[in-house]
Amino acid sequence: MAYRSPVADIRFILDKVVPLAPVAATERFAEATGDTVEAVLLEAGKLCDEVMAPLLRAGDLHPAKLENGVMRTSPGFKEAYAQIAEGHWVAVAASHEFGGMGLPQTLCVAINDMMSGANLALQLKPLLTQGQIEALEHHASDALKALYLPKLISGEWSGTMNLTEPQAGSDVGALRSKAEPLGDGTYAITGQKIFISWGDSDMVENVCHLVLARLPDAVPGTKGISLFMVPKFLPDAAGNPSTANSLKVVSLEHKMGLHGSPTCVMSFEGATGWLVGEPGKGMAAMFTMMNNARLAVGVQGIGVAEGAYQKALAYAQERVQFAPIIEHADVRRMLAEMRAEIFAARSIALACAVALDMGRATGEADWHARAALLTPIAKAYGTDVGIHVADQGIQVHGGMGFVEETGAAQYLRDVRVTAIYEGTNGIQAMDLVGRKMMDDGRAAFRLLQEVEDAAKAARETLPDLAEAVWQAAETMREATEGLIAQGTQDRFAGAVPYLRAFARVLGAHYHLKAALVDEVRAKLAAVYIRRILPQAEADLASVRAGAVDLYALSPEDLGA
Ligand SMILES: Cc1cc2nc3c(=O)[nH]c(=O)nc-3n(C[C@H](O)[C@H](O)[C@H](O)COP(=O)(O)OP(=O)(O)OC[C@H]3O[C@@H](n4cnc5c(N)ncnc54)[C@H](O)[C@@H]3O)c2cc1C
């Protein structure tokens, strides 16, 4: 069965579960009427189904290649990317001022979800450009904005993010790339970056690298890092790409999946760059891009889960072992749980996007705090769901899932990296229990209160399900109070299970909302609330255990 973009599911969530209506009611996003949303999703869905999805296997079988310094991308990718750009799909959320559609980020998230299910490797390219556009909109000088934003928004040029170096992965502050001022407002950038996604391609006129580097007098650590725009080709006076900059792709990584996306080792050899934002404030500027990308990567997981689920569902209907395997209880369990997890993760991601849009439109601090709280949850849970669902998709296929021709295995190989890049899921969880709790849990308690209030209101209609959600939210509240009282080491030891439990409670909340308005979705909600939500309690037991057992084991005890 061919991939079909989940337009109806997304519409349902935006209408009934995480309403987009308040966003459309703001002056800033007044254009996002129901008709516009419908038209945008249908049109983007068509591109996903008819152009991107048919190239999924080609990207896997024929990875991008570096030939004599020239990047050759997978067959069909160039033409498909041209259609993405022509349809203005690169930057639907970019501002009107430089040619964007000015639509809510929520719609961008919905489109990225559909595109990821269709073809993750290809979708990663516009995703990175979107993040770069946002970083430039917020931090670049007017001259840089005028030069770069129209080309990035139109898709003629594309963007990358260059953080990682061999010794600087999660610890970005350890990076060593240097930026020497040349006295004319430009800088000479020197250093090596690794793992740079879409570091080059034959699909665009120019590749614009946002590079983190240190100025000569920079203090050590993250405070000494600045951000630079370093294009592959230096723009001439008319803004057109001209002289080649002093940078190159040294090699490509051989990866377990995501083959269609070239992952590059980049060498900057005194390349000309322009400062973006203030000296020493590079991490803050890059965080604009990273926060955008974190939500977007969570959505990548959800999209791939959708693709894997659709494939497994089709197979379960065709494959007969005694009976069509969809009739067997264990297969039914797998399919139901896969679908329920996708709904939960998608609702959380869209709730995060709505909070972002409301924050932008109203400037209200509570919306900003809501978006900040939900971003690591959306990233880690969305990608965990992607991996789990893709894994279950293989299981539904039995032996055929282990055979590459089926395509079930590609989903798992492709999606695995999403829990690693853009900050590993461990780092996301530490962000949640660390920075995002610096308000003493205010944003978290506010959200949990909404979950409890909604559950209370649902008690008459759906007593069993509502009671379970209310109880889980109450337990989550107590666990959050306990977490805030914990020392750093204990908090970090329980960070991943804490995040997972929080996501489960939120997932159950959104399922309950759906159950109140739709009978079929009420059946799916029952699966989530009765079979998946209880796992939150087990996770919270691990949170309460703190770090003591872990550090009672020395590296030698672990066999070192
Ligand atoms: C396919 C691919 C594409 C990528 N694309 C890009 C890109 O476009 N641009 C870019 O800049 N980078 C990119 N990356 C790099 C990616 O962001 C890093 O791999 C990631 O941030 C993790 O860094 P690392 O690999 O060095 O792992 P490490 O930082 O060495 O982490 C190893 C393990 O230790 C854990 N860990 C590390 N520090 C801590 C800590 N303080 N507390 C608890 N646990 C910790 C991690 O969670 C992880 O489990 C990409 C990577 C891949 C594989």
Side-chain angles (χ1 to χ4, degrees):
M1 193 195 96
Y3 171 77
R4 286 284 161 263
S5 291
V7 173
D9 281 354
I10 292 171
R11 276 304 315 256
F12 175 79
I13 294 173
L14 292 180
D15 285 346
K16 309 282 187 203
V17 180
V18 184
L20 186 66
V23 175
T26 63
E27 199 185 327
R28 176 160 177 174
F29 295 120
E31 284 172 45
T33 60
D35 288 349
T36 305
V37 171
E38 177 86 10
V40 164
L41 291 180
L42 284 173
E43 202 53 34
K46 213 166 138 207
L47 178 87
C48 296
D49 301 355
E50 295 173 9
V51 178
M52 295 178 70
L55 297 173
L56 181 63
R57 191 110 175 92
D60 195 41
L61 290 177
H62 308 287
K65 281 186 292 204
L66 194 59
E67 285 176 355
N68 301 323
V70 178
M71 186 74 72
R72 310 256 178 237
T73 47
S74 304
F77 273 36
K78 185 175 180 178
E79 294 74 17
Y81 181 77
Q83 291 198 47
I84 295 172
E86 277 161 24
H88 304 286
W89 300 119
V90 172
V92 292
S95 66
H96 285 300
E97 193 185 348
F98 297 102
M101 289 200 220
L103 288 169
Q105 185 67 24
T106 308
L107 274 184
C108 186
V109 161
I111 294 167
N112 284 345
D113 179 339
M114 301 192 297
M115 286 190 173
S116 305
N119 193 325
L120 189 70
L122 180 55
Q123 186 267 345
L124 183 54
K125 189 171 177 66
L127 182 158
L128 288 159
T129 304
Q130 287 160 13
Q132 182 167 116
I133 289 167
E134 203 181 331
L136 294 179
E137 279 179 343
H138 282 87
H139 302 285
S141 65
D142 288 345
L144 282 184
K145 283 185 197 169
L147 182 53
Y148 287 91
L149 284 176
K151 302 277 194 186
L152 290 165
I153 290 170
S154 69
E156 290 161 88
W157 298 0
S158 67
T160 71
M161 55 196 291
N162 283 248
L163 290 83
T164 310
E165 298 181 8
Q167 77 295 345
S170 301
D171 183 7
V172 181
L175 69 83
R176 294 189 195 129
S177 290
K178 287 190 292 194
E180 295 278 345
L182 295 175
D184 60 355
T186 66
Y187 296 79
I189 312 294
T190 304
Q192 193 188 69
K193 298 283 179 181
I194 60 168
F195 290 145
I196 305 308
S197 296
W198 284 103
D200 197 7
S201 81
D202 51 6
M203 290 147 64
V204 286
E205 282 177 1
N206 207 355
V207 181
C208 307
H209 303 286
L210 273 185
V211 182
L212 287 178
R214 292 183 182 285
L215 290 164
D217 52 356
V219 295
T222 48
K223 290 208 173 87
I225 296 174
S226 304
L227 182 64
F228 299 88
M229 166 58 80
V230 190
K232 176 180 171 187
F233 292 108
L234 299 170
D236 63 17
N240 296 314
S242 62
T243 323
N245 208 347
S246 305
L247 60 92
K248 64 175 186 232
V249 178
V250 178
S251 60
L252 294 182
E253 304 296 353
H254 300 281
K255 314 190 293 285
M256 75 179 273
L258 208 65
H259 293 151
S261 160
T263 306
C264 307
V265 176
M266 302 289 308
S267 175
F268 296 88
E269 296 152 1
T272 305
W274 286 263
L275 185 66
V276 176
E278 312 249 321
K281 298 272 168 62
M283 279 309 286
M286 194 56 126
F287 253 106
T288 308
M289 180 160 185
M290 279 155 64
N291 275 330
N292 179 314
R294 283 177 173 182
L295 172 57
V297 169
V299 170
Q300 287 192 320
I302 298 161
V304 174
E306 176 72 40
Y309 170 72
Q310 289 186 14
K311 192 172 266 302
L313 179 65
Y315 187 77
Q317 290 167 282
E318 285 161 15
R319 173 72 173 161
V320 176
Q321 285 297 286
F322 311 110
I325 60 170
I326 195 169
E327 297 303 334
H328 299 312
D330 187 51
V331 176
R332 194 66 73 86
R333 173 191 63 79
M334 286 191 277
L335 292 169
E337 290 183 2
M338 288 159 83
R339 186 151 167 77
E341 289 268 34
I342 293 169
F343 178 86
R346 183 172 280 143
S347 299
I348 292 171
L350 289 170
C352 182
V354 164
L356 272 172
D357 285 327
M358 290 303 290
R360 278 176 200 156
T362 66
E364 285 173 20
D366 279 354
W367 282 116
H368 289 305
R370 170 72 50 93
L373 180 80
L374 287 177
T375 298
I377 301 176
K379 195 277 179 181
Y381 184 57
T383 56
D384 281 349
V385 163
I387 293 166
H388 178 64
V389 168
D391 181 56
Q392 292 292 285
I394 294 177
Q395 195 68 17
V396 169
H397 280 81
M400 289 309 288
F402 200 65
V403 170
E404 287 291 352
E405 280 73 9
T406 328
Q410 186 188 344
Y411 285 118
L412 183 59
R413 289 188 290 98
D414 283 357
V415 80
R416 186 61 186 85
V417 72
T418 59
I420 296 170
Y421 63 26
E422 259 333 297
T424 63
N425 285 2
I427 297 290
Q428 302 302 322
M430 287 164 65
D431 178 45
L432 177 65
V433 302
R435 276 164 54 95
K436 302 297 162 65
M437 293 287 164
M438 276 162 66
D439 62 353
D440 288 329
R442 199 177 149 268
F445 291 129
R446 204 163 49 82
L447 184 51
L448 290 171
Q449 189 62 51
E450 283 176 29
V451 175
E452 287 183 15
D453 291 347
K456 264 192 228 159
R459 265 180 184 152
E460 276 202 8
T461 327
L462 296 165
D464 295 353
L465 298 185
E467 184 56 32
V469 176
W470 184 86
Q471 191 58 56
E474 194 54 23
T475 310
M476 196 68 216
R477 172 189 296 282
E478 286 161 16
T480 305
E481 284 161 2
L483 180 102
I484 286 166
Q486 280 180 335
T488 310
Q489 191 76 311
D490 286 329
R491 265 198 212 195
F492 285 169
V496 165
Y498 177 82
L499 183 149
R500 204 162 41 212
F502 210 132
R504 298 261 192 253
V505 171
L506 293 176
H509 166 62
Y510 295 124
H511 268 292
L512 186 61
K513 288 182 88 173
L516 288 170
V517 294
D518 184 297
E519 274 179 25
V520 175
R521 290 177 197 271
K523 296 185 218 169
L524 199 63
V527 167
Y528 194 89
I529 293 170
R530 294 200 182 119
R531 308 175 68 96
I532 296 175
L533 177 62
Q535 295 166 21
E537 182 48 51
D539 272 329
L540 292 178
S542 168
V543 173
R544 287 188 281 269
V548 63
D549 304 330
L550 304 178
Y551 283 91
L553 289 162
S554 66
E556 292 72 30
D557 294 335
L558 288 167

